[in-house]
């Protein structure tokens, strides 16, 4: 089941909004490829964390944007 912003996996509940939104988008793309929700959820969160570690300026932009 794909997720949309505002509707996200329960394991994303305690994540900051900017991270949760990015992870949801990534998880949906992984879900299209793999079809496995567990892999999509874990990969989405891992890649989102890595993205913001590599692009800290995006984190600040995302926080002010929402």
């Amino acid at each position: 089941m794909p997720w949309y912003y505002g509707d996200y996996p329960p394991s994303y509940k305690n994540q900051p909004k900017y991270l949760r939104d990015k992870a949801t988008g990534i998880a949906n793309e992984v879900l299209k490829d793999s079809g496995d929700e567990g892999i999509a959820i874990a990969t989405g969160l891992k890649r989102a964390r890595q993205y913001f570690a590599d692009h800290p300026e995006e984190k600040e932009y995302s926080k002010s944007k929402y």
Side-chain angles (χ1 to χ4, degrees):
M1 168 185 114
W3 302 281
Y4 300 97
Y5 301 102
D7 172 33
Y8 46 82
S11 59
Y12 290 7
K13 178 182 175 184
N14 293 324
Q15 301 301 321
K17 182 169 178 11
Y18 68 90
L19 185 66
R20 186 172 56 227
D21 289 346
K22 185 72 164 178
T24 300
I26 294 168
N28 282 332
E29 291 302 313
V30 173
L31 186 61
K32 284 181 195 176
D33 293 338
S34 73
D36 186 313
E37 287 188 6
I39 290 172
I41 291 168
T43 302
L45 193 53
K46 181 179 179 181
R47 288 186 186 172
R49 286 180 177 150
Q50 186 61 51
Y51 177 83
F52 286 114
D54 293 343
H55 302 92
E57 70 281 357
E58 292 288 325
K59 179 169 63 172
E60 294 305 315
Y61 174 74
S62 295
K63 282 181 179 178
S64 63
K65 184 176 166 185
Y66 300 107

